Amino acid sequence: MRKFFQEIKADLKFKTAGPGQKLSEPSRYCSVLPRVPKEKPKAEAAPKPRQGPTDEAQMAAAAALARMELKPKGKLPSSQEAIKNQVRKELMAEAAASEKGLSAEKEDLASPDKEGAAAPSVSGVYFICPLTGAVVRKDKKEKHLREAIQSYFSVDPVAASIMEIHTFNKDREKVRAGVETMAKYLDNIYLHPEEEKYRKIKLQNKVFQERISCLEGIHRFFQAIGFETKTLPVPGQETTEEYYVLKEEMLTKLEDLKDYKEQLLSSEPVRAQLDRQLCLFKPSPEAARFELPNDFYNLTAEEIKREQRLRTEAVEKASMLRTRAMREKEEQREMRKYNYTLVRVRFPDGYILQGTFYARESVSTLYNFVREALRDDWLPFELLGPGGLKLTDENLAFNECGLVPSALLTLAWDAAVMADIEAAGEEQPASPLKPELLSRVQTLS
C-alpha cells in the first residue's frame, strides 16, 4: 500500500500560486491518468517546462500521505480510482493550507481562541487587611500591610513598631529570642531605675547585635519607647561607642515601660484574613467544572524546595515495594502542594454555595461557613464528598480529605429532623438560605 501511495505522489504535480493568484486547475496539474502523447501542432511553440512543486507543497503531500498511513485500516474503497480521488482531495487540502501559511493542525489549535477561553471560577485569592478592612489580592498583601503599619505610626508608634517586629521577621525563633532579650533590658530598668548602667545599651554589644539589632522594626521600637542614640566614651579607654540611652523623662513613666514590655511579649504577627469570596449560584450543570487561577497553584521558594526534596525521595523509593499505607502517605504529600482550595456545596434545591479556604484548614470551618448561610443555623445536615462519602471527621483538613485544589460537595439534611418539621405543619420558606444571599444569586457560567 505504501508503494502504491508513493507512485501516486510521484505522478501528482502541483503548482502553487503567488500572492493574489488562484491555484491552477486541478485537472491540469493534479491528474493521475496516464498521459497520452499528442501530435505537436506545427504552428505551436515548444511547451515551457513545468514548474516543480514548492517546498511547502512537498511537505503538504508528505503530511497527507503519512496521515493516511496512520489512519485505522477500515474497509478499502471499491476501486483504485476511488483511492486516488481520496488522496487527491487530501493533497489539495494541504496545498491550499500551505498557500494561506497555516496548516490544518494550526487551525485546530487556533479554534479554541476564537471561541474564547473559559472564565475562571474566581479571579484570584484575596485577603482582608485587619488594619484597614481593604480587600487585596494575594500578591499585593504584604505591600498593603507595610503601608497600613507605616500609616499607624502616626496613631501609636509603639504599637506600630511592635507590629513590624512580629509581622515582617519570618524566623519566629529569632523573634522570640530578640523579644525576650529586649524584655530583660526593660525589666532591669523598671526594677532598678536608679542604676544608670541599665539605662544604657551598647549597640556593638555582641548579644545586642546577634539577637536584637538584626530584627526589622526593633530600632523604631527603641525610639518609640523613649531611647535616643548617643556617642559616649568607653570607661577606661580613649575610644567612644554608640549607645541607646533612655531619656530622663521616661524615669517618671516606668509603668509605661512595663506595659510596653508586656505588649512586646504578647503580640502576634498581623495576619491578613483570607477572604472567603462567598458566592451563591443558581442550579447549574456546570457545578463540577472548575477553572482556577494561578493563585491556587503558585508555590513559594520555600515550598519549591520542599517539593524538590519530596521528588528526590520519591525517586529513591520508586524501586521499592510499597504498602498501601506508604502509597496513601505519598498521595497526602501530593495534596499538600496546594495552599488554597475552592469548595462548592450543592443544596437539595440545586443552589450552589461557593467559598475559598486554606488547604490546611479543617473541614469544621466549612460546616461553619454553611451554617452562617442558613436562615436557621440549628438545622442539622451532613456534607457528602465525591462518591457520596460522608465528611464525618470535621477535624481533618481539606488536603487530608482530598478536597484540593477544588471540590464539589452535596448537602443532605437530617431526614428525621426534616420529617418532624413537616409533621408539625409549619410553613417552610422556599429556600433555607438567608434572603440577603438569595438577593445576590448569580449564574454559574
Side-chain angles (χ1 to χ4, degrees):
M1 178 63 72
R2 180 179 182 86
K3 183 178 179 181
F4 175 70
F5 282 124
Q6 290 175 342
E7 290 175 357
I8 295 175
K9 179 181 177 182
D11 282 343
L12 294 173
K13 301 296 182 179
F14 287 86
K15 182 176 181 181
T16 57
Q21 296 179 346
K22 296 183 179 179
L23 287 173
S24 301
E25 296 178 359
S27 61
R28 180 177 178 182
Y29 294 100
C30 299
S31 174
V32 297
L33 298 177
R35 289 195 283 280
V36 179
K38 295 182 179 180
E39 291 185 357
K40 181 178 178 183
K42 295 180 180 180
E44 186 178 352
K48 296 181 181 180
R50 294 183 178 181
Q51 184 178 357
T54 64
D55 292 341
E56 291 83 0
Q58 292 181 32
M59 292 175 65
L65 288 172
R67 184 166 59 252
M68 291 196 67
E69 290 180 1
L70 291 174
K71 285 183 179 179
K73 296 181 179 180
K75 185 178 179 180
L76 291 175
S78 58
S79 67
Q80 290 188 354
E81 186 63 28
I83 297 175
K84 293 179 181 180
N85 289 335
Q86 179 64 29
V87 174
R88 187 182 298 113
K89 290 178 182 179
E90 293 281 348
L91 296 176
M92 290 292 292
E94 293 291 343
S98 65
E99 287 297 319
K100 297 177 182 178
L102 183 66
S103 67
E105 289 79 8
K106 288 182 180 179
E107 287 179 344
D108 291 340
L109 290 175
S111 59
D113 295 335
K114 295 178 182 178
E115 296 177 2
S121 303
V122 286
S123 59
V125 176
Y126 290 83
F127 292 83
I128 304 171
C129 176
L131 299 178
T132 64
V135 177
V136 294
R137 190 159 179 155
K138 174 187 172 185
D139 56 351
K140 306 292 184 183
K141 177 182 64 173
E142 184 166 344
K143 179 183 177 182
H144 183 86
L145 278 177
R146 285 186 178 276
E147 293 174 350
I149 292 175
Q150 179 64 36
S151 299
Y152 201 70
F153 269 94
S154 61
V155 178
D156 188 340
V158 175
S161 60
I162 291 175
M163 290 179 194
E164 279 190 323
I165 295 169
H166 284 279
T167 303
F168 301 126
N169 294 288
K170 304 304 181 183
D171 191 328
R172 302 308 303 160
E173 182 57 30
K174 283 187 176 181
V175 172
R176 183 195 62 78
V179 164
E180 289 180 354
T181 303
M182 188 65 206
K184 290 179 181 178
Y185 285 148
L186 298 181
D187 260 342
N188 286 334
I189 296 173
Y190 178 77
L191 297 175
H192 310 283
E194 71 285 351
E195 294 285 345
E196 184 181 357
K197 64 179 181 179
Y198 291 128
R199 302 199 299 270
K200 294 189 300 183
I201 303 173
K202 186 162 66 173
L203 271 61
Q204 297 304 315
N205 179 277
K206 183 179 180 181
V207 173
F208 184 87
Q209 286 292 318
E210 293 179 351
R211 296 188 181 183
I212 297 179
S213 186
C214 60
L215 296 178
E216 181 178 349
I218 197 71
H219 296 288
R220 302 181 78 170
F221 175 73
F222 272 105
Q223 296 168 6
I225 65 175
F227 281 87
E228 58 185 348
T229 306
K230 286 187 177 182
T231 302
L232 302 175
V234 179
Q237 300 180 22
E238 296 182 357
T239 59
T240 58
E241 293 276 6
E242 278 194 320
Y243 289 81
Y244 271 134
V245 180
L246 187 67
K247 297 177 182 178
E248 289 291 333
E249 60 264 28
M250 291 304 300
L251 293 177
T252 62
K253 303 177 182 178
L254 294 178
E255 289 300 324
D256 289 346
L257 288 180
K258 184 180 178 181
D259 290 341
Y260 298 153
K261 183 203 75 171
E262 296 298 333
Q263 189 176 347
L264 182 64
L265 289 172
S266 61
S267 291
E268 294 290 336
V270 179
R271 294 284 183 252
Q273 180 184 356
L274 179 66
D275 184 14
R276 298 293 184 202
Q277 299 187 76
L278 183 152
C279 292
L280 182 66
F281 297 108
K282 296 176 182 178
S284 170
E286 300 293 323
R289 185 180 64 83
F290 291 88
E291 296 291 339
L292 299 178
N294 290 336
D295 288 0
F296 281 75
Y297 301 98
N298 284 349
L299 299 178
T300 64
E302 188 176 305
E303 289 165 339
I304 291 174
K305 290 180 181 178
R306 185 181 70 223
E307 287 300 314
Q308 183 61 39
R309 186 182 72 252
L310 294 178
R311 287 194 186 113
T312 303
E313 293 175 1
V315 171
E316 295 173 353
K317 295 177 181 178
S319 59
M320 297 171 53
L321 292 176
R322 297 175 297 169
T323 65
R324 179 179 177 182
M326 293 171 67
R327 291 194 300 271
E328 290 177 350
K329 186 176 181 179
E330 289 180 6
E331 289 174 1
Q332 291 298 329
R333 283 180 174 176
E334 183 69 15
M335 290 297 181
R336 291 191 184 99
K337 70 168 59 174
Y338 303 108
N339 286 334
Y340 311 96
T341 183
L342 186 68
V343 180
R344 289 173 180 164
V345 177
R346 180 156 49 195
F347 283 72
D349 58 5
Y351 279 94
I352 302 160
L353 188 67
Q354 176 178 288
T356 302
F357 300 84
Y358 285 111
R360 295 173 179 82
E361 281 188 274
S362 65
V363 175
S364 61
T365 59
L366 177 60
Y367 273 87
N368 293 333
F369 176 76
V370 174
R371 288 189 187 97
E372 291 174 358
L374 300 177
R375 289 174 183 261
D376 301 313
D377 57 7
W378 58 268
L379 285 174
F381 62 87
E382 291 179 326
L383 295 178
L384 310 179
L389 181 66
K390 294 181 180 180
L391 300 179
T392 54
D393 190 349
E394 296 186 25
N395 294 320
L396 290 177
F398 288 100
N399 55 11
E400 293 175 327
C401 300
L403 304 178
V404 292
S406 60
L408 173 64
L409 306 178
T410 301
L411 182 142
W413 302 113
D414 185 290
V417 173
M418 297 308 292
D420 290 342
I421 293 176
E422 290 180 6
E426 297 181 5
E427 185 178 352
Q428 297 299 312
S431 173
L433 294 161
K434 290 181 177 178
E436 55 267 30
L437 284 179
L438 294 170
S439 65
R440 296 186 282 114
V441 67
Q442 306 175 41
T443 300
L444 186 59
S445 57

